[in-house]
Amino acid sequence: MLDNELLLKAYRLMSTAKAMADTYEANRAICKYVHSTSRGHEAIQLATAFRLLPCDFVSPYYRDESMLLGLGFTPCELMLQLLAKGADIFTGGREYYSHPNYKGSDKPGIIHQSSATGMQVIPTTGIAQGIKYLETIGSLKLKKGLNGELPVVVCSMGDASVTEGEVSEAFQFAALHKLPVIFLVQDNNWGISVTAAEARTTNASEMVKGYRGISRISLDGSDFGKSYEVMTNVINEVRETRHPFLVHAKVPLLGHHTSGVRKEFYRAEEELKQAALDDPGPKLRTQLLEAGIPEAGIVQLEQDAAAYVAVQFKAAVASPEPDPATVSRHVFVPTPVTEERGQRSPDRSEKVLMVDAAMFAIREIMEEYPEALLYGQDVGRRMGGVFREAATLAEQFGDHRVFNTAIQEAYIIGSTVGMSAVGLKPIVEVQFADYIYPGFNQLVTEISKSCYLSCGRYPVQTLIRVPVGAYGGGGPYHSGCVESTLLSIKGIKVVYPSNAADMKGLMKAAFLDPNPVVMLEHKGLYWSKVQGTEEAKTIEPSRDYIIPLGKANIILQASEDRVDAGETCCIITYGMGVYWAKAAAREYPGRVEVVDLRTLYPLDEALVFAMVKKHGKCLVLTEEQQNNSFAEALSGRISHACFRYLDAPVEVMGALDLPAVPMNVILEQAMLPNAEKVSACLALLLNS
């Protein structure tokens, strides 16, 4: 039996949520930003919120305002986000209603999540993955309840989201690794105007049968008493036995899909009347009357809730708009690495390969930071990476820190959001650049926007390794360059080393950066097997060597007398382009200066512009297909910034504008730049 105090608390918050929805509807001109409400979902949401502890994590979705009320947020706090006000405690006026994030000692943690349907499931499962790791190593970073309770993670979602492939990836990983996560599926039978019958063969509870290891239960989510009983049992079970659980709650959708997609557009009046019969509010009201609560007291509670909401709404409306000067804040948080330090070329006789420099850097990182993990496809003990870039690491650090994943690029990338949220520092690997695209949803919708839309509370500290580039017949799906696509994403950093020393120094900086960093590693430089790339091997730098991101390097200087005579040019390049540039420059002694960008974002514009102004002539060289590339964009910026100093138009050279790199090595060579092609371009540029 539930005590009357709890029932009254639940009814007060249901009445509050109803009054809020009614207020928004009555003030549509003021509530102009698109929003959803929780009408019909209140019972299961409140029951869930009431059972969570501050040590837990929860990811509410965009219809979960009642859950937020149940966690202790005030209507005004929610309304400030509804109205996109500057005092919005979650995102400072940058996000939709009911898109919270929270980090505090009084409530469960809430990571930022996007509006993209189902995309929150992987990051939230990543939280549970991180919690399990902290348990495994006995870390003091694991936050527990006042009585030593272990944390659980709740991921809330609508029923339409379970058809997303990325939700299945999360289910698979949670089941396989026995993670302490509860998937709360609120099934209202609608995905905007699409019914369940049109969209899927079965409900979430039936669907998840195929994932052995996930317990499941279905219930009437409009019944508060039943919802509270189920969520109490489920949360207690997961807290104690540490395995995943799916709760399938049938609920009515009483409000609009959103304020902009209104129910009368596509729902019949009879269907709406039928849905109203399952309204959780009247059901709980009847239960209160049956429990002996006087109707006069219930009416007073309803009136008090409405009056409270009116006061809260008035305060929110009066709150000031955001300061436009704040619009560019929180894209990144500051990095501790701001200058180069350590020995780049200590007294050692043997040079190391780039691939080994990467492995040595990660080994040193994992020795120093127990919160560092490495995972991805085939990086575990048996293989150590298809390029042997992680060889021996699992043997040294254990399978709990270096391990294989399934072929799940979305999970590999997106899980780092949750891992980072609990204080871990994941290093993950996408096996080939051509296969990063399944992970783009997570990179774009979750990772890149997390810091900005959480006002800096949840930057994602992750290092994503991506082997790139053509290498002797790799073919159309193992030879791609993806930097231009990556650089179109705001909120991530992109690094591209061209030699072993830079690989190690940049790897350390990328790991320590509290923001997401993608490291592009050219397969053709890994072992210096490609003709002309011997200099990619260097003396291994010292353990403490580090290069700040955003600092380019002059790797070949022109002679001063040639510069003074106006007989020189500079090549701005990176990756394999460094070696094509150096080889071509040998035909023009003293007349070519080569700049290795090393980091594509942040870009060392100061050095680039200084070199162009110094020489007056410039070639931007890339391995990517040239049209609409990063290289072309950079040439435009150079032309704009250095126009008065240019003696000739900025030249750009890249691969032919083809959809893919051909398998045949002769065709591959025909597509790509090389030293001879660069030399011919230099001849024209220097003589122009």
Side-chain angles (χ1 to χ4, degrees), residues 122 128 173 177 236 294 352 415 449 458 519 672:
I122 284 177
F173 198 94
H177 294 274
N236 286 343
V352 297
S415 62
K449 295 177 176 62
Y458 282 104
M519 176 165 278
L672 298 177

Side-chain angles (χ1 to χ4, degrees), residues 433 436-437 440 443-444 466 468-469 480-490 492-496 518 520 574 597 599-601 620-635 637 652-655 657:
I436 196 173
Y437 299 104
F440 254 60
L443 195 59
V444 174
V466 184
V468 298
C481 292
V482 295
E483 54 265 34
S484 291
T485 308
L486 288 168
L487 289 164
S488 70
I489 305 169
K490 312 310 172 190
I492 65 172
K493 300 182 180 183
V494 180
V495 178
Y496 203 139
V518 179
L520 303 177
Y574 55 94
L597 292 175
T599 303
L600 307 186
Y601 192 89
V620 182
L621 176 61
T622 179
E623 182 175 329
E624 274 197 303
Q625 291 91 329
Q626 181 174 327
N627 285 9
N628 304 314
S629 64
F630 159 69
E632 283 198 335
L634 177 55
S635 73
R637 287 153 72 182
V652 181
M653 177 177 287
D657 193 29

Side-chain angles (χ1 to χ4, degrees), residues 136-154:
T136 300
I137 66 173
S139 174
L140 297 177
K141 287 188 174 184
L142 180 65
K143 189 168 70 169
K144 297 182 180 180
L146 292 177
N147 298 312
E149 298 96 338
L150 290 172
V152 299
V153 180
V154 173

